[in-house]
Protein backbone atom coordinates (compact mmCIF):
# COMPACT_ATOMS: atom_id res chain seq x y z
CA UNK A 1 0.00 0.00 0.00
CA UNK A 2 2.84 2.43 0.75
CA UNK A 3 4.89 1.33 -2.28
CA UNK A 4 7.97 1.12 -0.03
CA UNK A 5 10.44 -1.71 -0.59
CA UNK A 6 10.59 -4.63 1.85
CA UNK A 7 14.09 -3.49 2.91
CA UNK A 8 12.90 0.07 3.65
CA UNK A 9 9.94 -1.19 5.69
CA UNK A 10 12.21 -3.54 7.58
CA UNK A 11 14.65 -0.69 8.36
CA UNK A 12 11.82 1.52 9.63
CA UNK A 13 10.37 -1.30 11.73
CA UNK A 14 13.81 -1.99 13.21
CA UNK A 15 14.16 1.67 14.17
CA UNK A 16 10.70 1.72 15.80
CA UNK A 17 11.49 -1.49 17.71
CA UNK A 18 14.79 -0.10 19.03
CA UNK A 19 13.01 3.05 20.21
CA UNK A 20 10.45 0.75 21.92
CA UNK A 21 7.46 2.07 19.97
CA UNK A 22 6.82 -1.33 18.34
CA UNK A 23 7.26 -4.78 19.78
CA UNK A 24 7.68 -8.11 17.96
CA UNK A 25 5.15 -10.88 18.58
CA UNK A 26 5.79 -14.63 18.33
CA UNK A 27 6.90 -15.67 14.84
CA UNK A 28 4.18 -17.32 12.75
CA UNK A 29 4.83 -20.26 10.45
CA UNK A 30 3.32 -19.94 7.02
CA UNK A 31 2.87 -22.68 4.44
CA UNK A 32 5.92 -21.75 2.37
CA UNK A 33 9.03 -19.70 3.01
CA UNK A 34 10.41 -18.04 6.15
CA UNK A 35 8.21 -17.67 9.27
CA UNK A 36 6.86 -14.11 9.55
CA UNK A 37 7.13 -11.88 12.61
CA UNK A 38 4.06 -9.74 13.35
CA UNK A 39 4.63 -6.44 15.17
CA UNK A 40 2.28 -4.48 17.37
CA UNK A 41 2.24 -1.05 19.01
CA UNK A 42 4.08 -1.20 22.33
CA UNK A 43 1.62 0.33 24.82
CA UNK A 44 4.49 1.27 27.17
CA UNK A 45 6.40 3.00 24.38
CA UNK A 46 4.95 6.41 25.12
CA UNK A 47 2.45 8.08 27.41
CA UNK A 48 0.52 11.31 27.36
CA UNK A 49 -1.77 13.14 29.73
CA UNK A 50 -5.00 14.76 28.62
CA UNK A 51 -6.67 17.51 30.64
CA UNK A 52 -10.08 19.08 30.37
CA UNK A 53 -11.19 22.14 32.27
CA UNK A 54 -14.86 22.99 32.52
CA UNK A 55 -16.86 25.37 34.66
CA UNK A 56 -17.41 22.84 37.46
CA UNK A 57 -14.82 20.11 36.95
CA UNK A 58 -11.21 19.45 35.96
CA UNK A 59 -10.36 16.01 34.57
CA UNK A 60 -7.05 14.36 33.75
CA UNK A 61 -6.39 11.04 32.03
CA UNK A 62 -3.16 9.15 31.49
CA UNK A 63 -3.12 7.21 28.20
CA UNK A 64 -0.54 4.84 26.79
CA UNK A 65 0.58 4.58 23.16
CA UNK A 66 -2.22 2.12 22.34
CA UNK A 67 -4.71 4.81 23.36
CA UNK A 68 -5.85 2.96 26.46
CA UNK A 69 -6.75 5.17 29.42
CA UNK A 70 -4.60 3.95 32.30
CA UNK A 71 -5.97 6.24 34.99
CA UNK A 72 -8.40 9.11 35.43
CA UNK A 73 -8.61 11.83 38.07
CA UNK A 74 -11.45 14.31 38.45
CA UNK A 75 -11.53 17.34 40.75
CA UNK A 76 -14.43 19.71 41.35
CA UNK A 77 -13.86 23.39 40.50
CA UNK A 78 -16.16 26.40 40.52
CA UNK A 79 -15.76 28.70 37.51
CA UNK A 80 -12.03 28.99 38.18
CA UNK A 81 -9.83 31.92 37.23
CA UNK A 82 -6.51 30.96 35.59
CA UNK A 83 -4.70 31.59 38.89
CA UNK A 84 -7.00 29.10 40.66
CA UNK A 85 -7.01 26.53 37.85
CA UNK A 86 -3.27 26.24 37.11
CA UNK A 87 -2.24 24.68 40.48
CA UNK A 88 -5.22 22.26 40.31
CA UNK A 89 -4.25 21.12 36.80
CA UNK A 90 -0.59 20.80 37.81
CA UNK A 91 -1.66 18.74 40.81
CA UNK A 92 -3.72 16.37 38.61
CA UNK A 93 -0.71 15.87 36.31
CA UNK A 94 1.53 15.11 39.29
CA UNK A 95 -1.02 12.74 40.87
CA UNK A 96 -1.45 10.76 37.62
CA UNK A 97 2.31 10.26 37.39
CA UNK A 98 2.49 9.07 40.99
CA UNK A 99 -0.52 6.72 40.83
CA UNK A 100 0.56 4.78 37.73
CA UNK A 101 3.96 3.11 37.54
CA UNK A 102 5.61 3.94 34.23
CA UNK A 103 8.86 5.26 32.79
CA UNK A 104 8.46 9.03 33.20
CA UNK A 105 10.99 9.70 30.46
CA UNK A 106 8.36 8.25 28.09
CA UNK A 107 5.79 10.95 28.91
CA UNK A 108 5.56 12.90 25.65
CA UNK A 109 3.52 15.78 26.95
CA UNK A 110 0.24 17.13 28.18
CA UNK A 111 -2.69 18.20 26.04
CA UNK A 112 -5.44 20.39 27.40
CA UNK A 113 -8.85 20.79 25.80
CA UNK A 114 -10.54 24.12 26.39
CA UNK A 115 -13.56 25.87 24.97
CA UNK A 116 -12.79 28.37 22.17
CA UNK A 117 -12.48 30.78 20.84
CA UNK A 118 -8.78 31.22 20.21
CA UNK A 119 -6.71 34.30 19.66
CA UNK A 120 -3.34 34.69 17.98
CA UNK A 121 0.01 33.12 18.92
CA UNK A 122 -1.05 30.19 21.08
CA UNK A 123 -2.83 32.19 23.72
CA UNK A 124 -6.45 31.44 24.38
CA UNK A 125 -9.11 34.02 24.75
CA UNK A 126 -12.13 32.17 25.98
CA UNK A 127 -15.38 33.88 25.25
CA UNK A 128 -16.51 35.86 28.30
CA UNK A 129 -19.66 33.72 28.42
CA UNK A 130 -17.60 30.58 29.00
CA UNK A 131 -15.08 31.17 31.78
CA UNK A 132 -14.23 34.47 33.41
CA UNK A 133 -10.74 35.99 33.51
CA UNK A 134 -9.16 33.85 30.77
CA UNK A 135 -8.86 36.56 28.13
CA UNK A 136 -5.37 36.21 26.61
CA UNK A 137 -4.01 34.06 29.45
CA UNK A 138 -1.05 32.00 28.13
CA UNK A 139 -2.34 28.59 29.29
CA UNK A 140 0.30 26.43 27.58
CA UNK A 141 3.40 28.30 28.76
CA UNK A 142 2.09 28.84 32.31
CA UNK A 143 1.16 25.18 32.77
CA UNK A 144 4.43 24.01 31.19
CA UNK A 145 6.33 26.17 33.66
CA UNK A 146 4.60 24.43 36.60
CA UNK A 147 4.83 20.83 35.41
CA UNK A 148 8.02 20.99 33.29
CA UNK A 149 6.49 18.94 30.47
CA UNK A 150 5.51 20.24 27.01
CA UNK A 151 1.89 21.44 26.96
CA UNK A 152 -0.41 21.83 23.99
CA UNK A 153 -3.76 23.62 24.11
CA UNK A 154 -6.53 22.42 21.82
CA UNK A 155 -10.08 23.56 21.18
CA UNK A 156 -12.38 21.09 22.99
CA UNK A 157 -14.46 20.23 19.92
CA UNK A 158 -11.31 19.70 17.83
CA UNK A 159 -9.77 17.49 20.54
CA UNK A 160 -12.95 15.39 20.64
CA UNK A 161 -12.92 15.03 16.84
CA UNK A 162 -9.27 13.85 16.94
CA UNK A 163 -10.20 11.31 19.63
CA UNK A 164 -13.08 9.92 17.56
CA UNK A 165 -10.88 9.74 14.47
CA UNK A 166 -8.11 7.82 16.29
CA UNK A 167 -10.10 5.57 18.61
CA UNK A 168 -13.84 6.12 18.19
CA UNK A 169 -16.74 6.08 15.75
CA UNK A 170 -14.92 8.11 13.07
CA UNK A 171 -12.13 5.53 12.60
CA UNK A 172 -11.68 5.09 8.88
CA UNK A 173 -13.73 8.17 7.95
CA UNK A 174 -11.83 10.64 5.77
CA UNK A 175 -14.27 13.54 6.13
CA UNK A 176 -16.65 14.21 8.99
CA UNK A 177 -17.93 16.91 11.30
CA UNK A 178 -18.04 16.28 15.04
CA UNK A 179 -20.63 18.37 16.86
CA UNK A 180 -19.59 19.16 20.41
CA UNK A 181 -22.51 19.93 22.71
CA UNK A 182 -21.24 21.55 25.87
CA UNK A 183 -22.58 24.66 27.53
CA UNK A 184 -22.27 25.99 24.01
CA UNK A 185 -22.05 24.26 20.63
CA UNK A 186 -18.84 23.78 18.66
CA UNK A 187 -17.55 21.56 15.88
CA UNK A 188 -14.38 19.69 14.97
CA UNK A 189 -13.80 18.88 11.30
CA UNK A 190 -11.76 16.44 9.25
CA UNK A 191 -11.62 16.96 5.49
CA UNK A 192 -9.88 14.36 3.28
CA UNK A 193 -8.16 12.85 6.30
CA UNK A 194 -6.76 16.14 7.59
CA UNK A 195 -7.82 18.24 10.55
CA UNK A 196 -9.42 21.44 9.30
CA UNK A 197 -8.50 24.33 11.62
CA UNK A 198 -8.19 27.55 9.68
CA UNK A 199 -7.12 30.77 11.36
CA UNK A 200 -6.49 30.46 15.12
CA UNK A 201 -8.14 27.00 15.10
CA UNK A 202 -11.58 28.61 14.98
CA UNK A 203 -13.00 26.84 11.91
CA UNK A 204 -15.45 24.88 14.05
CA UNK A 205 -16.65 27.80 16.15
CA UNK A 206 -20.18 27.68 14.82
CA UNK A 207 -21.93 28.73 18.04
CA UNK A 208 -22.18 32.38 17.15
CA UNK A 209 -23.48 32.05 13.62
CA UNK A 210 -26.77 33.94 13.50
CA UNK A 211 -29.57 31.47 12.70
CA UNK A 212 -32.56 33.56 13.82
CA UNK A 213 -32.33 37.21 12.73
CA UNK A 214 -33.27 39.43 15.68
CA UNK A 215 -33.63 36.30 17.84
CA UNK A 216 -32.65 35.71 21.45
CA UNK A 217 -29.90 38.01 22.76
CA UNK A 218 -26.49 36.33 23.19
CA UNK A 219 -23.70 37.25 25.66
CA UNK A 220 -21.47 37.80 22.61
CA UNK A 221 -23.48 40.91 21.80
CA UNK A 222 -25.36 39.59 18.75
CA UNK A 223 -28.91 38.24 18.55
CA UNK A 224 -30.14 34.83 17.38
CA UNK A 225 -26.86 32.89 17.62
CA UNK A 226 -27.02 29.07 17.14
CA UNK A 227 -25.59 28.75 20.66
CA UNK A 228 -28.78 30.26 22.10
CA UNK A 229 -30.93 27.50 20.54
CA UNK A 230 -28.78 24.35 20.38
CA UNK A 231 -26.61 23.91 23.50
CA UNK A 232 -26.84 22.55 27.03
CA UNK A 233 -27.10 26.14 28.23
CA UNK A 234 -30.22 26.80 26.17
CA UNK A 235 -31.65 23.38 27.17
CA UNK A 236 -31.25 24.26 30.86
CA UNK A 237 -32.89 27.61 30.24
CA UNK A 238 -35.79 26.01 28.32
CA UNK A 239 -36.38 23.44 31.08
CA UNK A 240 -36.09 26.04 33.83
CA UNK A 241 -32.99 24.49 35.40
CA UNK A 242 -30.63 26.90 37.13
CA UNK A 243 -27.18 26.76 35.54
CA UNK A 244 -25.56 27.29 38.93
CA UNK A 245 -27.00 23.98 40.22
CA UNK A 246 -24.54 21.14 40.82
CA UNK A 247 -25.86 18.39 38.50
CA UNK A 248 -27.88 20.05 35.71
CA UNK A 249 -27.14 17.20 33.27
CA UNK A 250 -28.76 14.64 35.60
CA UNK A 251 -31.81 16.90 35.98
CA UNK A 252 -32.20 17.10 32.20
CA UNK A 253 -31.97 13.29 32.09
CA UNK A 254 -34.74 12.98 34.71
CA UNK A 255 -36.98 15.44 32.86
CA UNK A 256 -36.48 13.49 29.62
CA UNK A 257 -37.39 10.09 31.17
CA UNK A 258 -41.17 10.42 30.54
CA UNK A 259 -40.38 11.02 26.84
CA UNK A 260 -38.71 7.65 26.43
CA UNK A 261 -41.99 5.90 25.58
CA UNK A 262 -42.57 8.36 22.72
CA UNK A 263 -39.06 8.66 21.33
CA UNK A 264 -36.03 6.44 21.27
CA UNK A 265 -33.51 8.27 23.48
CA UNK A 266 -30.22 6.66 24.28
ZN1 LIG B 1 -23.41 34.82 20.17
Amino acid sequence: MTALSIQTVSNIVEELVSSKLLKPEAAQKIARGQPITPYSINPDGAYSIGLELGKDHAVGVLTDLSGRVRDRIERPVDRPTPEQAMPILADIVEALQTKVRFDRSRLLGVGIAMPGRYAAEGTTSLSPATLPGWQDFPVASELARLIRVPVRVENDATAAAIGERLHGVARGLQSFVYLFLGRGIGAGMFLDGHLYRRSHQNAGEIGHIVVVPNGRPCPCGKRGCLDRYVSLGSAYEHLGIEVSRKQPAEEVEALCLPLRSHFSIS
Side-chain angles (χ1 to χ4, degrees):
M1 284 172 72
T2 57
L4 295 171
S5 72
I6 291 174
Q7 188 55 50
T8 307
V9 171
S10 136
N11 289 348
I12 294 170
V13 166
E14 217 166 276
E15 227 172 88
L16 292 171
V17 169
S18 71
S19 53
K20 293 196 167 65
L21 297 177
L22 284 183
K23 60 174 188 187
E25 304 289 346
Q28 289 176 359
K29 282 223 167 68
I30 45 173
R32 282 183 293 172
Q34 297 263 348
I36 57 163
T37 306
Y39 289 86
S40 60
I41 299 276
N42 177 14
D44 294 317
Y47 290 81
S48 64
I49 288 176
L51 296 171
E52 188 206 355
L53 181 67
K55 274 180 177 170
D56 54 9
H57 67 278
V59 187
V61 292
L62 179 78
T63 59
D64 62 29
L65 190 57
S66 70
R68 194 159 71 89
V69 173
R70 301 282 283 261
D71 208 347
R72 183 180 196 279
I73 292 178
E74 181 162 351
R75 301 262 161 89
V77 296
D78 186 13
R79 296 173 66 84
T81 61
E83 290 72 24
Q84 292 164 333
M86 287 299 122
I88 296 170
L89 293 173
D91 191 53
I92 289 175
V93 169
E94 185 56 40
L96 282 168
Q97 293 183 80
T98 319
K99 270 178 82 183
V100 182
R101 281 174 154 272
F102 70 99
D103 180 356
R104 282 192 179 206
S105 70
R106 301 229 153 233
L107 181 65
L108 298 179
V110 169
I112 176 166
M114 302 192 75
R117 79 184 281 137
Y118 287 78
E121 307 310 323
T123 62
T124 69
S125 77
L126 284 86
S127 72
T130 314
L131 282 172
W134 288 78
Q135 200 76 24
D136 301 325
F137 184 80
V139 175
S141 56
E142 272 306 299
L143 192 57
R145 192 176 59 78
L146 289 175
I147 61 179
R148 296 180 302 279
V149 177
V151 175
R152 178 174 179 143
V153 177
E154 187 62 84
N155 178 293
D156 51 8
T158 304
I162 295 170
E164 293 298 338
R165 168 100 166 112
L166 289 175
H167 303 292
V169 293
R171 272 179 97 151
L173 290 183
Q174 291 300 304
S175 302
F176 66 94
V177 175
Y178 178 102
L179 285 183
F180 188 92
L181 267 173
R183 291 296 166 99
I185 185 169
M189 280 176 280
F190 270 83
L191 296 180
D192 292 330
H194 296 283
L195 195 57
Y196 187 74
R197 298 170 178 280
R198 296 314 294 264
S199 69
H200 310 325
Q201 314 177 24
N202 287 320
E205 287 296 312
I206 56 171
H208 298 280
I209 293 173
V210 175
V211 292
V212 180
N214 293 316
R216 297 178 189 160
C218 180
C220 78
K222 293 188 291 192
R223 295 183 78 98
C225 294
L226 180 62
D227 210 287
R228 298 291 293 113
Y229 298 88
V230 186
S231 62
L232 280 181
S234 60
Y236 298 159
E237 202 178 289
H238 181 74
L239 296 166
I241 297 170
E242 280 175 54
V243 177
S244 55
R245 298 275 284 280
K246 263 282 165 274
Q247 301 289 358
E250 278 74 4
E251 290 186 45
V252 172
E253 182 84 18
L255 284 166
C256 290
L257 270 181
L259 299 175
R260 277 177 196 267
S261 52
H262 300 290
F263 304 103
S264 162
I265 299 175
S266 56

